[in-house]
Amino acid sequence: MAILEVKNVAKRFGGLQALSDVNLSVKENSVHAIIGPNGAGKSTLLNCLVGKLIPDTGSVMFDGQSVLGRAPFEINQMGISRVFQTPEIFGELSVMENMMIPIFAKRDGAFRMHAYETVANEKSVVEAAENMLEEMNMADKRHMNAASMSRGDKRRLEIGMCLSQEPRLLLLDEPTAGMARADTNNTIDLLKQISDERDITIAIIEHDMHVVFSLANRITVLAQGTPLVEDDPQNIRGNPKVREAYLGESA
Amino acid sequence: MFGLDKKDTSLLIVVALLTLLAPFILNPFPTDSGLAQFNAGYPDLMQRFIIFGIFAVGFNILFGLTGYLSFGHAAFLGVGSYSAVWMFKLLSYNILPAIALAVVVAGLFSLLIGYVSLRRSGIYFSILTLAFAQMSFALAYSVLSNPKFNLTNGETGLQVYNDDPQILQGANAPDLPHLFGLSMRSTYTMEVGPWAFDFNAGYYVCAVIMMIAFYLAIRIFRSPFGMMLRAVKSNQQRMNYTGLNTRPYTLAAFVISGMYAGLAGGLMAAMDPLAGAERMQWTASGEVVLMTILGGTGTLIGPVLGAGFIKYFENIFSKINDSVLHGWFAFLPDGLEDAVVTIIHPFVGKGWHLTLGILFMLVVIFLPGGLVEGGQRLAKWIRNRGKTEDKTSGKTEPAE
């Protein structure tokens, strides 16, 4: 069953047709990769899914509900979490605080004014945050300033923050961009573990074919703003159209 | 204690002791000595320390936590003062309803201004708040003061007249602001040897209110709400993609800090039943920004220190005139005395702004965390010095 259904989406920026006639369906509990050469419209598509951009035409349904016209925070509350290309975390706050904020957001919704309680007294949130840090192997860093961590750790924290909200769909935008090989492999292992152990759908935009083929069980190739082909990884490897548009250049 | 952790409790106790004992602490010099002019322990100035402390603590909830720099907070201070004086005119000189109305009206007013201004962030937000404050000033100064509809009494300032209704004013109640009969101006002077210490009712009313305001500020800083506000300052993008709506958070912070400003304005009118448009001038808005940055943005105690620092300069440094300087340097030969006085002259008296400006520059450049950071560095230096002395006992080491 498809959890995310994109139908006939088009988006134009002035003279540039960034997306045209995009149809995409992401199956529940799959790992779906969206690949394509630079300028293929991957990021534009992602921004249309999370509410940053509104497509000119078409529809985006998440779990039977339209996401169009909703603000990013509303779409997150529906169950879609997003990991950014450069880790977006609360740099000035401690690792523990970083982990608590999404849990508060999940529990209390988009706005709730707890101005008189003390953070330390919110036992259930503290506990959930500690468990998540433990799971991410970051418990020893809980008092650290988030900005002072390494890039790999920031990425780990960001993924942990998203997971702590128990989203149904996790969107990742080139999660290993600019990472060293070791960090990349760690991230792959982490994502594998997440998709194996959790009841979660992962949609990933990625340049790195190593990452794509180690993780994805379904791949959509985007070229010039429109899907070229959607298939299983082994068929994508051998597809001549894909080779021409993308793999041929880089492989 | 009071639901605070150990560190915050001790901070609260230190602030409580400092405010309660301020009449002693601020009057260290005997009344007849030449240094008596540095005494700041007279009621009027002590009240101002406290009132501007409240103003700055509230401003810091907005600026220190969310990073939104408002350049129009004096508007809320002014609105608070006008509301309080209207309460004096209509009801009675009791300060409680006056202060309550000041807080409520300032809160509503900041809700309106905040709702519009918070649609933008950064410099655009600052400019919007500044524009609103200047509009409020213009309204108070001229527009809302005409024979048909006189809300602010324009240039003269709003004050209480004999023919005002004052429907609840008792026959025997003091003809000045009071708290259930206790006049805000009543002062008990304690004389100990050559010293004189003033204990003023108005000051202690302000002090108690400030303690409550300060306590609430600590609670906000330590609450999930306070954490969200710091998250707004840190990364709004992440906030939005974490399912949090930043707009109501910032608006709530704006309204709370507006209510603090209204409280300060109401207290100002309660100490002296007057309200003038100049209280809403942009210079007054700028002053609270200076206080917060000078003391330490985002710290609890910083804004109070900054407010005290600036008000001390304004009231004490500005009183040093040429004859005082001549008195100090009388021991020097005549020519040299004149030269020294000439050099110092621009920095004192009317030139106190110059000294304050230099100090502000030094703090911002060398202590970006304000006076609080200065204090922390000093404490660290003393501690480290103690440690090295322990290790190398016997040897004398040059100070760093």
Side-chain angles (χ1 to χ4, degrees), chain A residues 1-5 26-32 49-50 61-67 74-83 106 159 161-172 194-204, chain B residues 241:
Chain A
M1 188 208 140
I3 190 164
L4 185 72
E5 196 80 63
V26 177
K27 282 209 188 69
E28 200 158 3
N29 292 331
S30 66
V31 179
H32 195 126
L49 305 183
V50 294
M61 304 291 276
F62 172 71
D63 200 22
Q65 279 183 296
S66 175
V67 304
E74 291 170 315
I75 292 175
N76 173 282
Q77 292 283 357
M78 289 168 74
I80 301 181
S81 272
R82 176 185 183 177
V83 173
K106 171 88 179 169
I159 292 176
M161 287 163 71
C162 288
L163 286 185
S164 71
Q165 299 193 303
E166 290 165 6
R168 300 194 50 206
L169 175 62
L170 182 64
L171 293 175
L172 299 118
I194 291 167
S195 81
D196 289 347
E197 291 174 3
R198 287 171 179 268
D199 185 22
I200 195 171
T201 313
I202 297 179
I204 181 169
Chain B
Y241 287 96

Side-chain angles (χ1 to χ4, degrees), chain B residues 45 48-49 52-53 56 283-295 302-318 352-353 355-357 359-360 371:
Chain B
L45 181 55
R48 242 174 289 168
F49 283 157
F52 280 92
T283 46
S285 294
E287 200 179 48
V288 73
V289 180
L290 293 190
M291 287 170 180
T292 310
I293 294 176
L294 190 68
V304 184
L305 294 180
F309 199 83
I310 288 184
K311 284 294 146 189
Y312 187 83
F313 261 80
E314 183 184 292
N315 290 281
I316 304 294
F317 245 66
S318 61
W352 69 274
H353 277 114
T355 318
L356 185 69
L359 280 171
F360 186 74
L371 296 173

Side-chain angles (χ1 to χ4, degrees), chain A residues 4-219:
Chain A
L4 185 72
E5 196 80 63
V6 179
K7 279 209 181 112
N8 304 324
V9 161
K11 180 77 190 171
R12 175 183 276 279
F13 298 110
L16 176 76
Q17 188 73 41
L19 293 177
S20 57
D21 205 22
V22 176
N23 288 287
L24 179 75
S25 108
V26 177
K27 282 209 188 69
E28 200 158 3
N29 292 331
S30 66
V31 179
H32 195 126
I34 297 160
I35 63 171
N38 279 329
K42 301 185 298 285
S43 299
T44 308
L45 176 60
L46 185 73
N47 284 333
C48 288
L49 305 183
V50 294
K52 191 162 188 187
L53 291 175
I54 299 176
D56 301 334
T57 59
S59 70
V60 179
M61 304 291 276
F62 172 71
D63 200 22
Q65 279 183 296
S66 175
V67 304
L68 298 187
R70 293 183 201 246
F73 75 87
E74 291 170 315
I75 292 175
N76 173 282
Q77 292 283 357
M78 289 168 74
I80 301 181
S81 272
R82 176 185 183 177
V83 173
F84 287 80
Q85 194 169 344
T86 34
E88 292 278 356
I89 51 174
F90 302 112
E92 288 87 347
L93 273 56
S94 75
V95 171
M96 182 66 180
E97 285 172 324
N98 267 276
M99 197 53 95
M100 289 171 82
I101 286 171
I103 299 173
F104 273 119
K106 171 88 179 169
R107 192 191 74 178
D108 299 338
F111 172 71
R112 187 158 161 200
M113 208 170 142
H114 288 290
Y116 199 71
E117 294 88 342
T118 308
V119 172
N121 288 345
E122 301 275 5
K123 297 276 188 267
S124 63
V125 176
V126 171
E127 201 175 306
E130 274 171 349
N131 289 342
M132 201 64 220
L133 285 178
E134 199 75 52
E135 204 176 324
M136 293 286 122
N137 285 326
M138 309 188 83
D140 54 326
K141 298 194 173 73
R142 52 176 295 176
H143 294 299
M144 255 173 101
N145 211 332
S148 63
M149 294 195 302
S150 73
R151 174 116 181 198
D153 280 343
K154 283 181 189 164
R155 167 65 70 222
R156 247 185 137 65
L157 175 63
E158 194 189 23
I159 292 176
M161 287 163 71
C162 288
L163 286 185
S164 71
Q165 299 193 303
E166 290 165 6
R168 300 194 50 206
L169 175 62
L170 182 64
L171 293 175
L172 299 118
D173 188 1
E174 301 197 25
T176 62
M179 270 190 188
R181 199 81 237 179
D183 276 342
T184 302
N185 287 336
N186 284 338
T187 309
I188 292 174
D189 292 342
L190 177 65
L191 292 173
K192 255 190 192 149
Q193 190 195 337
I194 291 167
S195 81
D196 289 347
E197 291 174 3
R198 287 171 179 268
D199 185 22
I200 195 171
T201 313
I202 297 179
I204 181 169
I205 285 180
E206 188 53 81
H207 252 333
D208 188 332
M209 287 304 127
H210 170 59
V211 178
V212 171
F213 286 111
S214 351
L215 283 172
N217 41 37
R218 193 80 183 163
I219 296 176

Side-chain angles (χ1 to χ4, degrees), chain B residues 240-369:
Chain B
N240 288 327
Y241 287 96
T242 304
L244 293 158
N245 190 358
T246 50
R247 182 104 30 98
Y249 279 105
T250 46
L251 184 59
F254 193 87
V255 172
I256 291 172
S257 78
M259 287 166 80
Y260 269 76
L263 175 65
L267 278 175
M268 225 181 242
M271 298 304 115
D272 185 13
L274 271 175
E278 76 288 341
R279 250 170 229 182
M280 300 173 131
Q281 272 272 35
W282 64 274
T283 46
S285 294
E287 200 179 48
V288 73
V289 180
L290 293 190
M291 287 170 180
T292 310
I293 294 176
L294 190 68
T297 315
T299 62
L300 280 164
I301 189 74
V304 184
L305 294 180
F309 199 83
I310 288 184
K311 284 294 146 189
Y312 187 83
F313 261 80
E314 183 184 292
N315 290 281
I316 304 294
F317 245 66
S318 61
K319 276 193 214 134
I320 303 171
N321 53 27
D322 276 6
S323 61
V324 175
L325 285 178
H326 279 290
W328 288 354
F329 297 105
F331 64 93
L332 293 170
D334 268 358
L336 197 58
E337 180 189 325
D338 288 344
V340 169
V341 170
T342 315
I343 291 169
I344 299 180
H345 171 82
F347 294 96
V348 295
K350 280 177 189 161
W352 69 274
H353 277 114
L354 198 57
T355 318
L356 185 69
I358 291 170
L359 280 171
F360 186 74
M361 271 163 44
L362 291 175
V363 166
V364 169
I365 293 170
F366 295 106
L367 295 171

